[in-house]
RNA sequence: GCCGCUAUCGUCUAGGGGUUAGGACGGAUGGUUCUCAGCCAUCAAACCGGGGUUCGAAUCCCCGUAGCGGUACCA
């Protein structure tokens, strides 16, 4: 602990790299709008946001939509709403604008074009007329020869005749970056430093044949143009880093500090992705299911980051205060829904009944259970009766449906266990229900204490097991064998409703 | 194939040469109770393997192995 606090005061990673060397920290989240925001993306956003907040810096939302074929406005808005729900508000970019606008890469093409011209003119990039088929062949050959890279840079020195011929054939060139033949040093705030062997570096395409620039080019240019000081992103980008550094060097651009955070994995240890996991991992889906923002943030923060060996629950303000890149681990973390559920129920239970009622009302509404005649106090009493039984807000629906409607089924399992599979048992249950009906009809007032006293008096005097009577009545009134205190249910339902439901249950028997 | 990254209970993790390897989720058992949930108590559960370095290694080094990521005119 002493060492840790020393370390963060010293502003260093375990490897001795200094984390912040600037007055104004500027970080960015740069999603490509090709789908919804998933858990992994949310974590990248959170880490960036926490880092910015911790250092009083700026969090920028840049939209990396250079893949025009896959980018859609719809997913861009999905991303906005997910980030907004999480409360990860951005200072610049997205739909907000800012001093370095535009923040949509598709609107920055002229900037990239200028840089490409510069690269071409300085001899750091070149046109490549290889066709996809040729490239495929080169790749296959390289693989067969066990070469460390799949493109050999053969277009670096094309003769002007060859170029003329290709143009005459109608070929549209791509632009490739000419990678240096000296090692590239990559300093990573999480992974440490290393030198990359130039033999493994490949002249990647930085502009497509349709003229649209690629990620490695646009990303590093924009990071420089937008004065990004730290690039915090998933380790899937680790192999892009040398290319981006090479481009920045060739262009004389400022290079940000890099921090590659480990991947979020599924239970099989594979990277979480839209493609393989569908919207099971979509942030918006969790909102719809009744997860709380606080739970989500707390959960996601602990995926790869830890504070000490004691604390699991972190308020957002505490995350901001305590978040430290030096305490982000190097290995991937499995997304464990059970832990999210635990945190979610924790945060739900921490709300007072009134807040919890407000939180839950929309979930009743979508199910059409509310019809404006309910008074709020009654709803609050229901939520109070439900107590700490909610894992998600949506759980309120199955757990309280019977308060709003008598259109419920008697669960087979419950019926079998508590109402009886035999004729004899059914008769007994029917008798108990009849008696309870009479008692509840006669009871002087319909409050918990009176009802409880009356029912206990009945069971004890007639030598009936309390459980048996209670469960018989519970199933009659709710259709299920579990739920809140039965006395709460009875009084919440009210005498009329209870006396209506009992005969119905007896008839069913 | 090639390049890279990683490696502590099932999961998230603490750990910085000497600890009965700690906590949390999940699991199991018991208690409380009208059921369920909760709560309380208890339990099971881990240092990938092999070599070094050292009096002493989960911790430092090397070699394996395994897993993952990348290997696109995606990001």
């Amino acid at each position: 602990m002493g060492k840790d606090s020393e370390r963060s005061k010293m502003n260093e990673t375990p490897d001795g790299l200094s984390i912040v060397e600037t007055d104004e920290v500027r970080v960015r989240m740069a999603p490509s709008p090709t789908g919804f925001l998933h858990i992994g993306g949310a974590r990248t956003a959170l880490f960036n946001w926490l880092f910015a907040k911790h250092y009083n810096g700026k969090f920028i939302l840049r939209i990396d939509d250079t893949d025009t074929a896959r980018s859609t406005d719809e997913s861009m808005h999905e991303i906005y709403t997910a980030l907004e729900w999480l409360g990860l508000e951005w200072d610049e970019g997205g739909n907000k604008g800012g001093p370095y606008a535009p923040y949509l890469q598709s609107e920055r093409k002229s900037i990239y074009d200028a840089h490409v011209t510069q690269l071409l003119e300085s001899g750091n990039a070149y046109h490549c007329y290889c066709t996809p088929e040729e490239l495929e062949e080169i790749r296959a050959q390289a693989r067969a020869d066990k070469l460390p890279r799949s493109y050999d840079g053969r277009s670096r020195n094309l003769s002007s005749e060859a170029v003329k011929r290709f143009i005459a054939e109608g070929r549209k060139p791509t632009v490739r970056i000419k990678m240096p033949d000296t090692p590239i040093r990559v300093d990573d705030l999480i992974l440490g430093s290393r030198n990359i062997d130039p033999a493994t570096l490949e002249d990647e395409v930085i502009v497509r044949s349709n003229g649209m620039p690629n990620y490695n080019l646009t990303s590093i240019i924009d990071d420089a143009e937008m004065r990004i000081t730290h690039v915090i992103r998933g380790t899937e980008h680790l192999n892009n880093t040398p290319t981006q550094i090479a481009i920045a060097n060739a262009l004389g651009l400022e290079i940000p500090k890099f921090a590659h955070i480990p991947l979020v994995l599924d239970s099989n240890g594979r990277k979480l992705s839209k493609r393989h996991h569908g919207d099971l991992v979509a942030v918006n889906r969790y909102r719809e299911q009744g997860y709380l923002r606080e739970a989500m943030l707390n959960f996601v923060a602990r995926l790869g980051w830890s504070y000490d060996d004691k604390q699991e629950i972190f308020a957002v303000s505490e995350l901001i205060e305590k978040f430290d890149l030096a305490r982000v681990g190097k290995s991937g973390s499995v997304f464990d829904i059970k832990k999210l559920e635990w945190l979610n129920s924790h945060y739900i239970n921490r709300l007072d009944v009134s807040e919890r009622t407000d939180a839950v009302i929309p979930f009743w509404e979508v199910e059409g259970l509310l019809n404006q005649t309910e008074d709020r106090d009654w709803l609050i009493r229901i939520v109070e009766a439900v107590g700490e039984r909610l894992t998600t807000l949506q759980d309120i629906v199955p757990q309280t449906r019977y308060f709003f409607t008598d259109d419920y089924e008697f669960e087979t399992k419950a019926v079998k266990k508590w109402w009886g599979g035999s004729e004899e048992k059914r008769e007994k249950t029917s008798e108990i229900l009849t008696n309870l009906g009479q008692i509840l009809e006669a009871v002087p007032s319909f409050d918990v204490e009176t009802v409880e006293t009356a029912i206990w008096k009945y069971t004890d005097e007639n030598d009936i097991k309390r459980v048996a009577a209670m469960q018989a009545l519970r199933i009659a009134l709710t259709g299920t064998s579990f739920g809140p205190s039965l006395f709460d249910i009875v009084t919440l339902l009210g005498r009329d409703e209870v006396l209506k439901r009992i005969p119905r249950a007896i008839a069913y028997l």
Side-chain angles (χ1 to χ4, degrees):
Chain A
M1 183 62 195
K3 288 206 168 147
D4 288 342
S5 57
E6 269 171 50
R7 189 171 66 212
S8 66
K9 262 183 217 133
M10 284 161 60
N11 182 34
E12 275 187 6
T13 68
D15 280 4
L17 295 171
S18 73
I19 297 175
V20 173
E21 296 173 326
T22 173
D23 292 340
E24 194 198 23
V25 163
R26 290 174 59 81
V27 293
R28 46 64 161 190
M29 163 77 177
S32 70
T34 54
F36 45 78
L37 184 74
H38 67 81
I39 303 288
R43 193 190 53 158
T44 304
L46 177 63
F47 280 17
N48 274 287
W49 185 82
L50 289 175
F51 187 76
K53 292 288 162 196
H54 182 88
Y55 290 103
N56 258 307
K58 294 276 195 292
F59 175 57
I60 290 112
L61 180 60
R62 188 178 77 215
I63 306 297
D64 284 9
D65 57 350
T66 50
D67 186 349
T68 46
R70 295 195 304 145
S71 297
T72 68
D73 277 3
E74 195 192 342
S75 43
M76 200 164 80
H77 290 105
E78 274 256 331
I79 292 167
Y80 291 160
T81 55
L83 290 174
E84 276 161 5
W85 172 61
L86 289 170
L88 305 180
E89 76 281 2
W90 48 100
D91 301 293
E92 296 169 24
N95 48 6
K96 274 200 178 74
Y100 299 95
Y103 291 85
L104 263 60
Q105 292 192 324
S106 55
E107 296 172 9
R108 299 172 64 78
K109 188 159 180 306
S110 57
I111 296 171
Y112 310 130
D113 288 348
H115 286 92
V116 172
T117 304
Q118 193 184 329
L119 285 171
L120 251 14
E121 282 171 0
S122 64
N124 286 299
Y126 58 92
H127 289 290
C128 170
Y129 292 86
C130 296
T131 64
E133 295 72 32
E134 282 167 348
L135 291 172
E136 190 49 53
E137 253 174 66
I138 297 168
R139 254 196 299 275
Q141 190 57 49
R143 201 173 167 128
D145 295 344
K146 304 189 177 197
L147 296 176
R149 55 186 172 192
S150 55
Y151 182 69
D152 53 12
R154 63 177 60 181
S155 303
R156 278 188 179 200
N157 302 301
L158 246 31
S159 66
S160 49
E161 294 79 50
V163 172
K164 263 182 217 154
R165 196 175 68 239
F166 289 143
I167 291 174
E169 283 175 23
R171 291 197 191 185
K172 296 267 184 274
T174 60
V175 177
R176 289 184 184 266
I177 178 75
K178 193 184 282 180
M179 291 300 278
D181 51 12
T182 50
I184 291 181
R185 183 186 169 85
V186 178
D187 291 324
D188 189 281
L189 264 17
I190 291 168
L191 265 13
S193 304
R194 71 206 76 242
N195 283 309
I196 309 299
D197 180 355
T200 69
L201 265 18
E202 150 175 341
D203 291 352
E204 286 178 41
V205 170
I206 54 175
V207 181
R208 299 172 172 90
S209 55
N210 69 4
M212 275 307 279
N214 267 146
Y215 173 75
N216 277 323
L217 180 81
T218 60
S219 181
I220 196 67
I221 289 175
D222 284 344
D223 289 338
E225 293 269 326
M226 296 175 180
R227 303 278 178 269
I228 299 301
T229 58
H230 297 76
V231 171
I232 302 171
R233 73 211 326 181
T235 39
E236 71 265 31
H237 290 297
L238 192 56
N239 293 326
N240 291 322
T241 312
T243 308
Q244 295 178 197
I245 289 174
I247 294 172
N249 284 339
L251 251 16
L253 299 174
E254 190 90 11
I255 296 172
K257 287 176 180 291
F258 293 98
H260 287 94
I261 60 182
L263 301 174
V264 180
L265 315 167
D266 68 13
S267 53
N268 296 317
R270 290 178 172 276
K271 180 179 135 182
L272 233 48
S273 71
K274 294 168 236 186
R275 180 151 172 238
H276 295 293
H277 303 90
D279 71 350
L280 241 58
V281 294
V283 169
N284 284 334
R285 165 70 84 86
Y286 288 87
R287 183 196 56 195
E288 288 157 14
Q289 286 177 340
Y291 282 85
L292 263 35
R293 156 189 187 246
E294 292 80 359
M296 205 67 198
L297 257 18
N298 193 154
F299 172 71
V300 160
R302 287 285 287 100
L303 250 32
W305 171 81
S306 66
Y307 178 63
D308 60 16
D309 63 342
K310 306 235 171 347
Q311 193 171 355
E312 290 291 339
I313 306 290
F314 295 88
V316 176
S317 57
E318 264 179 305
L319 290 176
I320 292 172
E321 178 201 329
K322 293 174 171 162
F323 183 76
D324 180 0
L325 277 184
R327 290 199 62 86
V328 173
K330 299 178 177 182
S331 53
S333 335
V334 174
F335 169 79
D336 178 14
I337 186 83
K338 289 289 182 192
K339 188 154 181 187
L340 208 210
E341 287 176 348
W342 168 71
L343 279 165
N344 203 50
S345 62
H346 169 85
Y347 281 100
I348 289 177
N349 296 337
R350 216 207 39 178
L351 299 174
D352 66 44
V353 251
S354 173
E355 292 170 322
R356 211 182 306 161
T357 304
D358 289 335
V360 125
I361 283 174
F363 291 85
W364 276 325
E365 277 172 347
V366 277
E367 288 295 315
L369 292 173
L370 261 32
N371 48 38
Q372 314 304 354
T373 58
E374 296 87 359
D375 86 274
R376 188 180 152 78
D377 286 345
W378 186 65
L379 296 178
I380 288 179
R381 283 168 63 211
I382 290 178
V383 170
E384 198 160 26
V386 167
E388 303 197 336
R389 290 177 178 79
L390 301 178
T391 295
T392 65
L393 296 173
Q394 197 177 49
D395 285 347
I396 197 70
V397 171
Q399 289 188 29
T400 61
R401 161 167 244 118
Y402 55 80
F403 282 114
F404 303 93
T405 168
D406 62 4
D407 180 22
Y408 53 82
E409 308 260 300
F410 297 108
E411 281 175 15
T412 354
K413 253 172 96 179
V415 168
K416 202 168 175 194
K417 177 160 186 196
W418 297 104
W419 277 10
S422 66
E423 189 58 33
E424 188 187 3
K425 188 90 182 287
R426 280 197 292 276
E427 269 170 30
K428 184 69 190 163
T429 302
S430 166
E431 183 195 323
I432 291 173
L433 285 178
T434 309
N435 292 336
L436 287 175
Q438 287 162 354
I439 288 162
L440 291 173
E441 188 169 11
V443 110
S445 74
F446 222 70
D447 58 84
V448 170
E449 209 193 319
T450 314
V451 169
E452 180 172 353
T453 313
I455 292 183
W456 286 166
K457 184 165 181 280
Y458 164 71
T459 54
D460 297 353
E461 281 178 0
N462 295 282
D463 205 23
I464 291 165
K465 274 193 177 163
R466 286 183 168 193
V467 193
M470 295 299 271
Q471 287 299 77
L473 185 57
R474 177 184 296 279
I475 296 165
L477 300 179
T478 72
T480 107
S481 61
F482 51 82
S485 162
L486 188 55
F487 302 116
D488 285 338
I489 293 175
V490 166
T491 52
L492 243 14
L493 242 23
R495 198 194 306 253
D496 291 351
E497 191 60 30
V498 168
L499 294 181
K500 239 168 66 190
R501 291 185 185 189
I502 289 177
R504 178 169 163 261
I506 294 172
Y508 178 88
L509 275 160

